[in-house]
Amino acid sequence: MEKGCAGYIKKKRSRNLAIILAFAVVIMGLIIAGLILFKTKNNYCTLLAVVLCLPAAKFVVNYIVVKSAKPINKDFLEKLNSIDNAFILYDLIISGQSKPESVEAAIINGNNIYLYSKKINTKDSIITDINKFLKNVKINANINVVSDNLKFIEIAKNKSVDKNDIALIKKSEYVKKEFLNMCI
């Protein structure tokens, strides 16, 4: 499942948990095998187990970040899916300088990005982080954060892209691609 699809957060949670459990089994297996084979804790199996703790820790941190993210509500998702020709992304975790922020949905219309989340604590901080990231790829974006789902649905209806406007579609696709690059 790709970033920006509904259900991404749940899928990422379960994938990370499975990887963490696999690492735990392999690490414990190596430690036990080393103790049985070499009859001491100072052996190559233990060394390999310790080295494997670093990539395992990466997945643990990622799991903690994803665990705190809130997936999109199913009723709200159905309402947004009924809107034609809108560039809507779902279940995003935006990595910022201060901390990752969970965004339930985002609309991209050219250089305009509308974020929907009831959980964003510091709107100015996330807007600054996104603008800074996008300016590095030469995109000057107008970012708005909305916490009211009815207002967000209205924005989605008003910002749907005309199928005949090729330039706007290409611009929206480019902004979408670069915006997803800053998401976990």
Side-chain angles (χ1 to χ4, degrees), residues 53-136:
C53 287
L54 189 60
K58 176 187 171 228
F59 283 99
V60 169
V61 169
N62 199 316
Y63 179 77
I64 292 168
V65 168
V66 173
K67 183 73 176 148
S68 67
K70 183 178 183 223
I72 190 165
N73 179 302
K74 288 183 182 180
D75 295 332
F76 186 51
L77 174 66
E78 289 174 11
K79 289 177 185 174
L80 289 174
N81 280 337
S82 68
I83 300 169
D84 290 333
N85 304 326
F87 278 88
I88 304 177
L89 304 170
Y90 306 102
D91 289 351
L92 302 168
I93 303 170
I94 300 172
S95 60
Q97 284 187 329
S98 57
K99 69 175 198 154
E101 293 281 359
S102 172
V103 173
E104 295 168 46
I107 300 169
I108 297 178
N109 181 284
N111 283 357
N112 298 313
I113 300 173
Y114 301 90
L115 305 174
Y116 171 77
S117 180
K118 292 185 177 186
K119 197 175 178 183
I120 291 182
N121 298 325
T122 54
K123 293 179 182 180
D124 294 335
S125 172
I126 195 69
I127 290 171
T128 304
D129 289 342
I130 294 170
N131 271 325
K132 188 183 285 186
F133 182 84
L134 292 176
K135 281 182 182 172
N136 287 335

Side-chain angles (χ1 to χ4, degrees), residues 27 30 43-53:
I27 290 170
L30 284 169
N43 59 63
Y44 292 113
C45 291
T46 305
L47 176 67
L48 184 58
V50 170
V51 170
L52 284 176
C53 287

Side-chain angles (χ1 to χ4, degrees), residues 138-149:
K138 311 281 189 274
I139 297 173
N140 188 14
N142 178 26
I143 300 160
N144 296 297
V145 179
V146 179
S147 58
D148 179 28
N149 58 359

